[in-house]
Amino acid sequence: MDVLTMDGTISNNTANMNAGDGILVGGIMVEFSGTISNNTANMNAGDGILVGGIMVEFSGTAEGNTTNSNTLNGLSIFGVNSTFSGALRNNTATSNTLSGIRYQGGVFQGSIASNTASSNGRQGLEILSQEFNGNILQNTFQSNSIEGANLMI
């Protein structure tokens, strides 16, 4: 099985009005230990920024990104069998149709700190995980349609 291993940097890009996701790091198996920083993803038909696959190991950092008005989520990390031990910090997600910031997977043991998620169609922050051992610190969730933050195990 092919494994996408990334320890690089995705930085200072603009991805607006694309027919799918704005920025996608994806494959069947993804091992991400790099940095996604200072990108802007607006009005895309999918997620603004997505790291996704069946098995995702995210130990990297996503920081300083801005996502607005995407059809799905603003910033999303998704894997059926996944582990999140990285950091999401200082990101801004506004007016996305679903959630501003979203993680769905197996084990969450990372950190989500100092993010702002407002006016999203569902949650500002949504975590769907089988096990949670992480930290959610000093974020601002405002005027989201359902919850500011939703942690479901």
Side-chain angles (χ1 to χ4, degrees), residues 51-62:
V51 178
I54 294 173
M55 297 179 69
V56 175
E57 301 289 331
F58 187 96
S59 59
T61 301

Side-chain angles (χ1 to χ4, degrees), residues 19-150:
D21 301 310
I23 296 172
L24 169 65
V25 178
I28 294 172
M29 297 178 67
V30 178
E31 295 175 356
F32 186 89
S33 58
T35 301
I36 301 171
S37 65
N38 302 313
N39 298 290
T40 300
N42 298 323
M43 298 181 286
N44 295 290
D47 289 311
I49 299 171
L50 171 63
V51 178
I54 294 173
M55 297 179 69
V56 175
E57 301 289 331
F58 187 96
S59 59
T61 301
E63 64 182 333
N65 298 291
T66 300
T67 62
N68 297 299
S69 302
N70 294 289
T71 301
L72 297 178
N73 304 289
L75 173 58
S76 183
I77 299 171
F78 171 81
V80 176
N81 296 313
S82 64
T83 301
F84 178 92
S85 58
L88 303 179
R89 58 181 178 241
N90 299 314
N91 298 290
T92 301
T94 57
S95 300
N96 297 289
T97 303
L98 299 179
S99 296
I101 299 169
R102 184 173 194 265
Y103 169 77
Q104 182 175 349
V107 178
F108 183 95
Q109 54 194 23
S111 175
I112 297 178
S114 302
N115 298 286
T116 299
S118 60
S119 301
N120 293 290
R122 289 182 16 185
Q123 294 87 3
L125 170 66
E126 181 179 26
I127 297 177
L128 305 170
S129 181
Q130 296 169 354
E131 182 179 332
F132 181 87
N133 300 309
N135 297 296
I136 300 172
L137 306 165
Q138 300 176 336
N139 297 283
T140 301
F141 307 120
Q142 181 175 332
S143 300
N144 297 288
S145 294
I146 300 178
E147 292 104 6
N150 179 4

